[in-house]
């Protein structure tokens, strides 16, 4: 059974930074795509960023230039460096891993902009 566990969420000041990490464990596949998604209260889950094994990246327009996704294939981890965070980016951030037709999701980690 594949498990994805996110960490690194928490409170952040306006304009601050956080680094999220996702670690895959269990029955590990060589994932072709890993990524980060987020879901704010009352909103649909949306793509934040994805990265392939060769390192090709894709970002939501709203985070381009501020967020950076990276992965370590040997460790089966994927990180998301988030800079210049905005209050409206408060959400639960989820890690996703894909292996062909199979998708795996983490439990999410809360990112909250402090007042």
């Amino acid at each position: 059974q594949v498990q994805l566990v996110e960490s690194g969420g928490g409170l952040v000041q306006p304009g601050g930074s956080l680094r999220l990490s996702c670690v895959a464990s269990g029955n590990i596949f060589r994932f072709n795509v890993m990524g980060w998604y987020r879901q704010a209260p009352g909103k649909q889950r949306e793509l934040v960023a994805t990265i392939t094994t060769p390192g090709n990246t894709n970002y939501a327009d709203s985070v381009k230039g501020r967020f950076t996704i990276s992965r370590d294939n040997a460790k089966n981890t994927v990180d998301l460096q988030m800079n210049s965070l905005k209050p409206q980016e408060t959400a639960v951030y989820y890690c996703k891993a894909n292996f062909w037709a199979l998708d795996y999701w983490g439990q999410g980690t809360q990112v909250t902009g402090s007042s």
Side-chain angles (χ1 to χ4, degrees), residues 18 30 62 105:
L18 284 176
R30 192 174 188 270
S62 62
W105 292 89

Side-chain angles (χ1 to χ4, degrees), residues 75-90:
K75 297 180 179 179
N76 286 309
T77 61
V78 58
D79 289 359
L80 184 70
Q81 178 66 47
M82 305 185 294
N83 297 328
S84 302
L85 280 161
K86 304 172 181 179
Q88 59 265 39
E89 291 175 317
T90 292

Side-chain angles (χ1 to χ4, degrees), residues 9 21 24-25 41 47 53 62 81 84-86 100 103 109:
S21 183
S25 63
L47 181 148
T53 299
S62 62
Q81 178 66 47
S84 302
L85 280 161
K86 304 172 181 179
W100 296 106
D103 290 335
T109 185

Side-chain angles (χ1 to χ4, degrees), residues 37-58:
Y37 294 71
R38 65 188 177 191
Q39 187 167 20
K43 298 182 66 177
Q44 301 257 13
R45 188 173 298 186
E46 65 175 351
L47 181 148
V48 177
T50 61
I51 185 167
T52 66
T53 299
N56 300 303
T57 58
N58 180 46

